[in-house]
Amino acid sequence: MYVGTLSFDLLLGDVHSLKEKRSVVRPIVAELQRKYAVSAAEVDHMDLHRRTIIGLAMVSGDPAHVTDVLDRCERLVAGRPEVELLSVRRRFHGDDD
């Protein structure tokens, strides 16, 4: 069993309230879940309206599949024009851990 996780530190663009923040973050989380069948959620900076951290995780029996899906998720988030990707943290856990 292999587990891969990503956490995205994002700076949101023209957002002036927590309500506007939700309208940016929710579609990103929903698209990650729908397109790639990963578990995803906003996990930090809930009280700041221009910053967020989105975390995601996936499990697979094939390490190459985990790497491929994580790469696709990273490209999807990096390509969103309404956010600036400040950093990405990737972790990979395998049977040897």
Side-chain angles (χ1 to χ4, degrees), residues 24-96:
V24 172
V25 173
R26 278 183 162 170
I28 295 171
V29 169
E31 186 174 7
L32 288 166
Q33 292 170 333
R34 179 181 47 79
K35 249 182 151 171
Y36 300 112
V38 296
S39 295
E42 181 180 10
V43 296
D44 202 359
H45 300 312
M46 311 289 200
D47 55 341
L48 302 176
H49 67 273
R50 292 207 57 224
R51 289 284 299 275
T52 191
I53 294 184
I54 295 176
L56 69 83
M58 72 163 298
V59 177
S60 177
D62 180 9
H65 179 66
V66 173
T67 301
D68 180 52
V69 171
L70 295 182
D71 288 345
R72 289 174 188 231
C73 290
E74 188 172 340
R75 282 193 299 271
L76 183 142
V77 173
R80 299 295 292 243
E82 68 273 23
V83 299
E84 180 182 342
L85 183 58
L86 299 176
S87 68
V88 179
R89 184 173 184 173
R90 181 182 294 227
R91 291 188 176 167
F92 191 86
H93 307 280
D95 289 332
D96 298 336

